[in-house]
Amino acid sequence: MFPSVDGRLAILALLPLSLVVITALGWFIENRQRKPRLPPGPVQLPLLGNVLSIDTKEPWLTYTKWHAAYGDLFLVRILDQEAVVINSQHVAEALMDKRSRIYSDRPYLATVEPFGWSAVTFGFTGYNDEWRLSRRLFHQTFRPSSALKFRPMQISRARDMIVNLIDDPQHYHSHFATFSSSIGMSVIYDYQPSARDDPLVKIVENALTVGLDIATPERAILLKLFPFLLKLPDWCWGSSIKRDARISTEHMNEMRDLPFQCAQQHMVANSFLGQSSMVAENLQRMEKQDEASKPMFETALKQAAAAAVLGSYETTSSTLMIFALAMVLYPDVQRRAQAEIDLVIGRDRLPTFEDRASLPYVESILRETFRWQPILPLGVPHATSSDDTYDGYFIPKGATIMCNVWAISRDEKRYPDASRFVPERFLDVNGALTGDDPAGYIFGLGRRACPGRYSGDASVWSAIVTMLATVDFSSAKDGQGKVIDFTPQFITGIIRYLFRHSILLSLTVASL
Ligand code: HEM
């Protein structure tokens, strides 16, 4: 049977159409093969992405679980935001360090502006000229060679802290906080806070307590989805977020302006002589500039100064809380460190920075403190400023980049029995330090890496070594002398820190 004339005409007509379809299909397949794939990752739901499967309080735990399934680099979607999660130091270095030109932006966080954070830190500012100016000002004061100058002051503040701890051991958290802020405020404003109830320290505490508690990631998502919440009238249900944002902004502005004004007044009263704080040095520099550039410079200086206070306050005191927890839970570690100090320094003087290289066990405790309970388990998120390809995977412009510090620090191959506090993991068979230093990932990577790390590391070291040399930490006991059990409680947000009174400890002068 032959097809009819109409049928033959239809076949003839279909021929060019099939040719077009086949060519388009070929082009599509070829293009697909040429275009790199997105990184692997868990299945996404329409509109929501992976948001329902992520532990909102401790997202790093979900990401660490997915690390086993999807590898060192995977992609998740949180509503409309694509986020690439990096789970190994090697990949973090390859992208955030070696390609820092692409990986140094910050993602949009809906809470930063309304809650007043942009006024007090360049930590969330995009990768732009405003950030460069603030970071340059910051760097002049905190670069490694300048940070060396703070060391005698850091040791002296650590000793003041011991006096406070012995005098009033119950409020150990408050003494850690005073120590942190007194270092920051000396360097930045040439201001020495009093041991208790200092008005300027109170201002910083207020800003941070409000800011950290309410500008949480959950609120950032809520505000991104429903920005009109900031416009609701005060009487309306749901307007509490607007009120919180207003209170937070007031506290943040106060923190940026009041210590700065104090430093300015102090300078005028002392005729600009012998002023060596970050603010004083830069204000003197500003005097020589042309009038037009002064306002921008002053704004950047205020912001860089507040960023330094903010950056040092919670990070340093939270790290000291982790150290205290470790000393209570692992008394053998404390004893071994004290034995090292006794052997190297003896008992008739206190440690100084000149002793640091001779105290490898103390150094391994510092490393383990940073690793064991990282205070920024996902670092601070970066964002890409252009498309990129890595290991055959396509990483789009504007993607959020998270370095899963938790996964790196809990990698059982690198750190066997990772949930235990074992400083010895950083020592070789001869008791010398190994080349593995968590500072390589806990301070972030690339151009956004923590600019206060040299001063932060030295503050924590001076506090730890001075405490080990002078006091004993142990578990708190009840009236019958029985150890009181406790479960440490962490508060989570961008920073993961121990709840103030969650370590039940007893502090005594070190036994001689
Ligand atoms: C002692 C413990 C500290 C830890 C663990 C720590 C950790 C970090 C991390 C992970 C970042 C984000 C880095 C990135 O985006 O890749 C960061 C940023 C920052 N840190 Fe620290 N930090 C500490 C101490 C300090 C101190 C003492 C200061 C101030 C003197 C400071 C000031 C800052 C600032 C201003 C940024 C924002 C940098 C930017 O966005 O360009 N930090 N820190």
Side-chain angles (χ1 to χ4, degrees):
M1 286 285 283
F2 294 101
S4 65
V5 175
D6 284 354
R8 269 179 271 162
L9 279 176
I11 292 170
L12 273 178
L14 275 177
L15 268 176
L17 194 67
S18 336
L19 211 69
V20 171
V21 171
I22 290 167
T23 316
L25 212 66
W27 177 85
F28 177 74
I29 292 169
E30 197 186 306
N31 219 15
R32 241 187 99 104
Q33 277 166 352
R34 226 180 311 131
K35 194 174 172 192
R37 295 158 295 148
L38 287 169
V43 177
Q44 301 174 1
L45 293 175
L47 298 176
L48 296 172
N50 303 104
V51 78
L52 297 182
S53 339
I54 297 172
D55 178 339
T56 44
K57 289 263 171 257
E58 299 182 291
W60 47 89
L61 297 184
T62 311
Y63 297 149
T64 304
K65 209 168 65 201
W66 286 344
H67 174 208
Y70 305 107
D72 286 349
L73 184 92
F74 61 77
L75 183 103
V76 294
R77 197 158 54 76
I78 301 161
L79 305 175
D80 63 342
Q81 181 59 55
E82 281 171 324
V84 172
V85 184
I86 298 175
N87 298 285
S88 81
Q89 191 173 348
H90 167 73
V91 177
E93 282 167 0
L95 298 182
M96 297 163 91
D97 252 347
K98 300 207 174 88
R99 300 186 191 179
S100 57
R101 198 175 43 81
I102 301 176
Y103 288 83
S104 297
D105 210 355
R106 292 282 192 219
Y108 169 73
L109 262 177
T111 32
V112 167
E113 202 65 47
F115 283 75
W117 283 95
S118 44
V120 292
T121 178
F122 56 92
F124 300 113
T125 310
Y127 187 49
N128 54 28
D129 287 344
E130 185 194 331
W131 169 79
R132 277 185 200 92
L133 176 57
S134 295
R135 178 113 186 175
R136 202 169 57 238
L137 288 172
F138 195 99
H139 185 68
Q140 277 163 1
T141 305
F142 289 96
R143 62 171 176 254
S145 56
S146 311
L148 283 177
K149 286 191 295 205
F150 314 148
R151 290 186 165 187
M153 178 270 291
Q154 285 166 311
I155 285 284
S156 149
R157 297 287 188 272
R159 293 176 186 174
D160 294 345
M161 179 183 73
I162 298 298
V163 174
N164 294 331
L165 276 172
I166 293 172
D167 191 31
D168 172 32
Q170 267 190 333
H171 295 104
Y172 58 93
H173 173 272
S174 152
H175 306 314
F176 294 163
T178 303
F179 167 74
S180 313
S181 49
S182 69
I183 290 178
M185 292 206 160
S186 295
V187 173
I188 299 148
Y189 303 111
D190 196 15
Y191 175 80
Q192 187 176 348
S194 45
R196 269 163 241 170
D197 305 324
D198 185 90
L200 288 191
V201 173
K202 197 86 210 121
I203 285 172
V204 179
E205 270 174 5
N206 283 345
L208 269 173
T209 314
V210 175
L212 283 176
D213 285 356
I214 59 185
T216 56
E218 295 84 41
R219 289 202 174 206
I221 292 179
L222 198 69
L223 268 190
K224 191 175 175 192
L225 280 179
F226 310 112
F228 64 84
L229 288 174
L230 287 171
K231 303 232 163 14
L232 292 176
D234 288 351
W235 48 263
C236 190
W237 183 85
S239 67
S240 64
I241 199 162
K242 187 177 98 174
R243 197 186 50 242
D244 288 349
R246 195 170 50 226
I247 295 171
S248 176
T249 303
E250 279 164 18
H251 283 300
M252 294 290 177
N253 288 346
E254 194 178 44
M255 180 192 136
R256 181 196 55 191
D257 296 337
L258 279 185
F260 194 85
Q261 282 161 13
C262 283
Q264 275 178 318
Q265 284 158 8
H266 182 68
M267 278 181 70
V268 173
N270 291 284
S271 331
F272 288 77
L273 284 174
Q275 305 285 331
S276 63
S277 71
M278 174 185 182
V279 167
E281 279 176 6
N282 280 296
L283 284 177
Q284 288 170 55
R285 231 171 258 148
M286 193 175 86
E287 285 306 306
K288 295 179 197 129
Q289 290 184 356
D290 58 282
E291 287 304 315
S293 56
K294 280 183 184 173
M296 191 179 154
F297 187 86
E298 187 174 312
T299 307
L301 176 59
K302 269 188 186 176
Q303 198 198 38
V309 175
L310 194 82
S312 52
Y313 180 77
E314 194 61 54
T315 49
T316 309
S317 55
S318 298
T319 308
L320 295 180
M321 287 287 282
I322 302 290
F323 164 78
L325 177 67
M327 292 307 101
V328 172
L329 298 181
Y330 298 88
D332 292 350
V333 169
Q334 181 176 227
R335 276 193 286 276
R336 185 169 167 187
Q338 289 171 333
E340 181 181 72
I341 294 173
D342 280 354
L343 189 74
V344 174
I345 298 171
R347 298 226 167 152
D348 43 11
R349 70 173 177 88
L350 289 172
T352 66
F353 275 95
E354 283 68 48
D355 302 309
R356 190 165 177 175
S358 321
L359 297 169
Y361 194 69
V362 173
E363 197 68 30
S364 70
I365 291 182
L366 177 80
R367 290 186 186 184
E368 185 67 342
T369 303
F370 282 139
R371 181 208 68 85
W372 182 48
Q373 303 288 345
I375 54 169
L376 286 140
L378 289 175
V380 178
H382 290 213
T384 45
S385 40
S386 59
D387 289 347
D388 191 26
T389 307
Y390 176 74
D391 205 17
Y393 294 124
F394 175 67
I395 298 173
K397 174 181 174 177
T400 296
I401 306 293
M402 289 188 268
C403 178
N404 189 358
V405 172
W406 186 268
I408 299 174
S409 65
R410 296 282 160 138
D411 176 357
E412 284 286 329
K413 284 196 214 91
R414 182 165 171 184
Y415 303 118
D417 222 353
S419 60
R420 286 184 59 78
F421 189 87
V422 184
E424 286 78 2
R425 61 174 95 248
F426 294 109
L427 298 173
D428 66 17
V429 284
N430 301 314
L433 286 162
T434 64
D436 184 356
D437 187 351
Y441 53 85
I442 61 121
F443 289 107
L445 293 104
R447 294 183 199 182
R448 299 301 292 238
C450 176
R453 60 179 282 189
Y454 307 101
S455 137
D457 165 89
S459 294
V460 177
W461 184 84
S462 57
I464 283 183
V465 79
T466 312
M467 282 193 270
L468 286 168
T470 51
V471 290
D472 283 334
F473 288 89
S474 57
S475 304
K477 303 204 174 64
D478 64 15
Q480 277 81 49
K482 267 181 52 197
V483 166
I484 311 173
D485 284 333
F486 66 94
T487 310
Q489 281 163 26
F490 287 89
I491 298 178
T492 57
I494 228 180
I495 295 195
R496 177 177 183 269
Y497 58 102
L498 270 163
F499 182 62
R500 278 169 194 212
H501 305 292
S502 74
I503 318 175
L504 298 184
L505 59 76
S506 157
L507 241 165
T508 46
V509 177
S511 39
L512 292 175

